[in-house]
Amino acid sequence: MKTKTWTLILIIFLVAGFKTVNALSFPDVSDTNPHNKAIDYLSDIGILSGYSDQTFKPYRLVNRAEFLKIVLEASQIQTNETTPTNFTDINNNAWYAKYVRTAYHEGWIEGYPDGTFKPENTINQVEALKIIGEVQNWQTATSFERPFSDVPFTAWYAPFVTYAKDKNFLFTRT
């Protein structure tokens, strides 16, 4: 239950716009941010670590590698996979390589048709939902009602959006 609770918190923070938020553990954040306690906690337990210059960069968008790290760490997934992936753009010595290798070998990520993972690309909402759904082993339906008018039935992400909507993980922006 603890794992799913933290994943839900991450969904709320990240799906709401994929911007990181402020925390007291970092010099470049304000102590008035309403999310600082949650971010401090995630930092204290090692899920968030900021950047090498000790900053958090609170307005930077979250990329695919960062998001994968957050979800795997929050889910307490062991990342000791050493077998390289088939992704042509992954440096096996990069900080994120162990997360990509683990997710790839577990079948949670597939990458792009051109054989890349694009770790530095900003993650979008449906990619994030798929990663969370795969890691948390969501039992997605194969038959469902269209969750939103802009989600085609045939889209690879439709089952994950439907599941998240049905579980009230999503909200509409006003």
Side-chain angles (χ1 to χ4, degrees), residues 56-76:
F56 191 69
K57 301 185 188 325
Y59 300 105
R60 181 179 168 156
L61 297 174
V62 176
N63 69 38
R64 291 166 52 84
E66 292 165 336
F67 187 79
L68 193 55
K69 176 196 185 270
I70 291 168
V71 172
L72 293 182
E73 291 287 340
S75 301
Q76 300 176 338

mmCIF file of all heavy atoms in Angstrom, residues 56-76:
data_model
loop_
_atom_site.group_PDB
_atom_site.id
_atom_site.type_symbol
_atom_site.label_atom_id
_atom_site.label_comp_id
_atom_site.label_asym_id
_atom_site.label_seq_id
_atom_site.Cartn_x
_atom_site.Cartn_y
_atom_site.Cartn_z
ATOM 1 N N PHE A 56 17.398 22.145 -7.081
ATOM 2 C CA PHE A 56 16.247 21.330 -7.429
ATOM 3 C C PHE A 56 15.658 21.737 -8.782
ATOM 4 O O PHE A 56 14.986 20.956 -9.411
ATOM 5 C CB PHE A 56 15.182 21.459 -6.339
ATOM 6 C CG PHE A 56 14.067 20.461 -6.476
ATOM 7 C CD1 PHE A 56 14.284 19.120 -6.254
ATOM 8 C CD2 PHE A 56 12.788 20.873 -6.821
ATOM 9 C CE1 PHE A 56 13.255 18.195 -6.375
ATOM 10 C CE2 PHE A 56 11.753 19.955 -6.942
ATOM 11 C CZ PHE A 56 11.990 18.617 -6.716
ATOM 12 N N LYS A 57 15.915 22.955 -9.214
ATOM 13 C CA LYS A 57 15.390 23.499 -10.467
ATOM 14 C C LYS A 57 13.863 23.341 -10.499
ATOM 15 O O LYS A 57 13.316 22.597 -11.306
ATOM 16 C CB LYS A 57 16.051 22.860 -11.663
ATOM 17 C CG LYS A 57 17.572 23.046 -11.692
ATOM 18 C CD LYS A 57 18.182 22.509 -12.940
ATOM 19 C CE LYS A 57 19.672 22.485 -12.956
ATOM 20 N NZ LYS A 57 20.438 23.491 -12.323
ATOM 21 N N PRO A 58 13.163 24.065 -9.625
ATOM 22 C CA PRO A 58 11.731 23.841 -9.430
ATOM 23 C C PRO A 58 10.845 24.105 -10.643
ATOM 24 O O PRO A 58 9.720 23.623 -10.668
ATOM 25 C CB PRO A 58 11.379 24.790 -8.286
ATOM 26 C CG PRO A 58 12.442 25.817 -8.301
ATOM 27 C CD PRO A 58 13.680 25.129 -8.773
ATOM 28 N N TYR A 59 11.321 24.797 -11.641
ATOM 29 C CA TYR A 59 10.465 25.079 -12.794
ATOM 30 C C TYR A 59 10.901 24.329 -14.046
ATOM 31 O O TYR A 59 10.364 24.548 -15.125
ATOM 32 C CB TYR A 59 10.405 26.587 -13.040
ATOM 33 C CG TYR A 59 9.845 27.276 -11.817
ATOM 34 C CD1 TYR A 59 10.679 27.978 -10.952
ATOM 35 C CD2 TYR A 59 8.507 27.142 -11.481
ATOM 36 C CE1 TYR A 59 10.168 28.563 -9.797
ATOM 37 C CE2 TYR A 59 7.994 27.719 -10.334
ATOM 38 C CZ TYR A 59 8.832 28.427 -9.501
ATOM 39 O OH TYR A 59 8.330 28.986 -8.355
ATOM 40 N N ARG A 60 11.828 23.446 -13.892
ATOM 41 C CA ARG A 60 12.282 22.644 -15.025
ATOM 42 C C ARG A 60 11.295 21.499 -15.243
ATOM 43 O O ARG A 60 10.808 20.870 -14.292
ATOM 44 C CB ARG A 60 13.667 22.091 -14.724
ATOM 45 C CG ARG A 60 14.206 21.262 -15.856
ATOM 46 C CD ARG A 60 15.579 20.741 -15.543
ATOM 47 N NE ARG A 60 15.900 19.736 -16.531
ATOM 48 C CZ ARG A 60 17.108 19.396 -16.847
ATOM 49 N NH1 ARG A 60 18.129 19.962 -16.256
ATOM 50 N NH2 ARG A 60 17.317 18.470 -17.749
ATOM 51 N N LEU A 61 11.018 21.198 -16.503
ATOM 52 C CA LEU A 61 10.149 20.070 -16.822
ATOM 53 C C LEU A 61 10.873 18.761 -16.533
ATOM 54 O O LEU A 61 12.098 18.672 -16.628
ATOM 55 C CB LEU A 61 9.735 20.134 -18.290
ATOM 56 C CG LEU A 61 8.910 21.369 -18.685
ATOM 57 C CD1 LEU A 61 8.679 21.399 -20.188
ATOM 58 C CD2 LEU A 61 7.590 21.391 -17.947
ATOM 59 N N VAL A 62 10.127 17.730 -16.205
ATOM 60 C CA VAL A 62 10.686 16.420 -15.876
ATOM 61 C C VAL A 62 10.920 15.640 -17.171
ATOM 62 O O VAL A 62 10.029 15.542 -18.015
ATOM 63 C CB VAL A 62 9.720 15.642 -14.947
ATOM 64 C CG1 VAL A 62 10.227 14.236 -14.673
ATOM 65 C CG2 VAL A 62 9.515 16.412 -13.649
ATOM 66 N N ASN A 63 12.128 15.084 -17.313
ATOM 67 C CA ASN A 63 12.391 14.305 -18.522
ATOM 68 C C ASN A 63 12.100 12.819 -18.282
ATOM 69 O O ASN A 63 11.786 12.395 -17.174
ATOM 70 C CB ASN A 63 13.806 14.551 -19.060
ATOM 71 C CG ASN A 63 14.912 14.004 -18.194
ATOM 72 O OD1 ASN A 63 14.810 12.931 -17.616
ATOM 73 N ND2 ASN A 63 16.009 14.749 -18.106
ATOM 74 N N ARG A 64 12.219 12.036 -19.353
ATOM 75 C CA ARG A 64 11.851 10.618 -19.304
ATOM 76 C C ARG A 64 12.732 9.830 -18.327
ATOM 77 O O ARG A 64 12.250 8.964 -17.598
ATOM 78 C CB ARG A 64 11.911 10.021 -20.709
ATOM 79 C CG ARG A 64 10.811 10.566 -21.609
ATOM 80 C CD ARG A 64 11.024 10.259 -23.094
ATOM 81 N NE ARG A 64 11.272 8.874 -23.395
ATOM 82 C CZ ARG A 64 10.338 7.942 -23.572
ATOM 83 N NH1 ARG A 64 9.069 8.263 -23.463
ATOM 84 N NH2 ARG A 64 10.665 6.707 -23.868
ATOM 85 N N ALA A 65 14.023 10.119 -18.301
ATOM 86 C CA ALA A 65 14.931 9.416 -17.390
ATOM 87 C C ALA A 65 14.623 9.773 -15.942
ATOM 88 O O ALA A 65 14.588 8.889 -15.074
ATOM 89 C CB ALA A 65 16.382 9.755 -17.736
ATOM 90 N N GLU A 66 14.407 11.049 -15.670
ATOM 91 C CA GLU A 66 14.087 11.484 -14.308
ATOM 92 C C GLU A 66 12.796 10.843 -13.815
ATOM 93 O O GLU A 66 12.719 10.362 -12.683
ATOM 94 C CB GLU A 66 13.964 13.011 -14.253
ATOM 95 C CG GLU A 66 15.257 13.741 -14.475
ATOM 96 C CD GLU A 66 15.088 15.217 -14.765
ATOM 97 O OE1 GLU A 66 14.000 15.630 -15.241
ATOM 98 O OE2 GLU A 66 16.040 15.965 -14.532
ATOM 99 N N PHE A 67 11.788 10.828 -14.681
ATOM 100 C CA PHE A 67 10.508 10.251 -14.283
ATOM 101 C C PHE A 67 10.638 8.761 -13.993
ATOM 102 O O PHE A 67 10.098 8.249 -13.013
ATOM 103 C CB PHE A 67 9.441 10.491 -15.359
ATOM 104 C CG PHE A 67 8.083 10.052 -14.912
ATOM 105 C CD1 PHE A 67 7.330 10.846 -14.067
ATOM 106 C CD2 PHE A 67 7.559 8.841 -15.311
ATOM 107 C CE1 PHE A 67 6.074 10.442 -13.623
ATOM 108 C CE2 PHE A 67 6.306 8.423 -14.878
ATOM 109 C CZ PHE A 67 5.564 9.229 -14.031
ATOM 110 N N LEU A 68 11.386 8.068 -14.840
ATOM 111 C CA LEU A 68 11.584 6.639 -14.634
ATOM 112 C C LEU A 68 12.261 6.390 -13.289
ATOM 113 O O LEU A 68 11.857 5.499 -12.530
ATOM 114 C CB LEU A 68 12.425 6.071 -15.778
ATOM 115 C CG LEU A 68 12.489 4.568 -15.924
ATOM 116 C CD1 LEU A 68 11.103 3.946 -16.029
ATOM 117 C CD2 LEU A 68 13.315 4.207 -17.138
ATOM 118 N N LYS A 69 13.253 7.187 -12.942
ATOM 119 C CA LYS A 69 13.924 7.061 -11.648
ATOM 120 C C LYS A 69 12.935 7.272 -10.503
ATOM 121 O O LYS A 69 12.896 6.491 -9.552
ATOM 122 C CB LYS A 69 15.063 8.062 -11.510
ATOM 123 C CG LYS A 69 15.713 8.011 -10.121
ATOM 124 C CD LYS A 69 16.561 9.242 -9.854
ATOM 125 C CE LYS A 69 17.285 9.138 -8.539
ATOM 126 N NZ LYS A 69 16.573 9.666 -7.404
ATOM 127 N N ILE A 70 12.128 8.327 -10.597
ATOM 128 C CA ILE A 70 11.171 8.635 -9.537
ATOM 129 C C ILE A 70 10.211 7.469 -9.313
ATOM 130 O O ILE A 70 9.987 7.035 -8.183
ATOM 131 C CB ILE A 70 10.396 9.928 -9.852
ATOM 132 C CG1 ILE A 70 11.336 11.142 -9.774
ATOM 133 C CG2 ILE A 70 9.209 10.108 -8.916
ATOM 134 C CD1 ILE A 70 10.747 12.424 -10.358
ATOM 135 N N VAL A 71 9.660 6.945 -10.394
ATOM 136 C CA VAL A 71 8.676 5.863 -10.259
ATOM 137 C C VAL A 71 9.320 4.584 -9.721
ATOM 138 O O VAL A 71 8.767 3.934 -8.826
ATOM 139 C CB VAL A 71 7.956 5.604 -11.601
ATOM 140 C CG1 VAL A 71 7.087 4.356 -11.524
ATOM 141 C CG2 VAL A 71 7.112 6.806 -11.985
ATOM 142 N N LEU A 72 10.481 4.227 -10.233
ATOM 143 C CA LEU A 72 11.116 3.000 -9.759
ATOM 144 C C LEU A 72 11.568 3.122 -8.304
ATOM 145 O O LEU A 72 11.407 2.189 -7.519
ATOM 146 C CB LEU A 72 12.294 2.616 -10.659
ATOM 147 C CG LEU A 72 11.924 2.202 -12.089
ATOM 148 C CD1 LEU A 72 13.164 1.803 -12.870
ATOM 149 C CD2 LEU A 72 10.895 1.098 -12.112
ATOM 150 N N GLU A 73 12.120 4.272 -7.941
ATOM 151 C CA GLU A 73 12.531 4.475 -6.549
ATOM 152 C C GLU A 73 11.310 4.497 -5.624
ATOM 153 O O GLU A 73 11.337 3.887 -4.557
ATOM 154 C CB GLU A 73 13.329 5.775 -6.401
ATOM 155 C CG GLU A 73 14.693 5.741 -7.055
ATOM 156 C CD GLU A 73 15.712 4.898 -6.322
ATOM 157 O OE1 GLU A 73 15.532 4.617 -5.123
ATOM 158 O OE2 GLU A 73 16.710 4.506 -6.955
ATOM 159 N N ALA A 74 10.251 5.195 -6.023
ATOM 160 C CA ALA A 74 9.042 5.268 -5.198
ATOM 161 C C ALA A 74 8.387 3.899 -5.045
ATOM 162 O O ALA A 74 7.771 3.610 -4.024
ATOM 163 C CB ALA A 74 8.048 6.256 -5.797
ATOM 164 N N SER A 75 8.545 3.056 -6.040
ATOM 165 C CA SER A 75 7.971 1.712 -6.004
ATOM 166 C C SER A 75 8.913 0.691 -5.375
ATOM 167 O O SER A 75 8.590 -0.488 -5.326
ATOM 168 C CB SER A 75 7.599 1.271 -7.421
ATOM 169 O OG SER A 75 6.669 2.160 -7.982
ATOM 170 N N GLN A 76 10.063 1.157 -4.935
ATOM 171 C CA GLN A 76 11.073 0.311 -4.291
ATOM 172 C C GLN A 76 11.493 -0.863 -5.169
ATOM 173 O O GLN A 76 11.648 -1.994 -4.710
ATOM 174 C CB GLN A 76 10.587 -0.155 -2.924
ATOM 175 C CG GLN A 76 10.295 0.989 -1.996
ATOM 176 C CD GLN A 76 9.723 0.554 -0.667
ATOM 177 O OE1 GLN A 76 9.162 -0.522 -0.522
ATOM 178 N NE2 GLN A 76 9.864 1.419 0.332
#
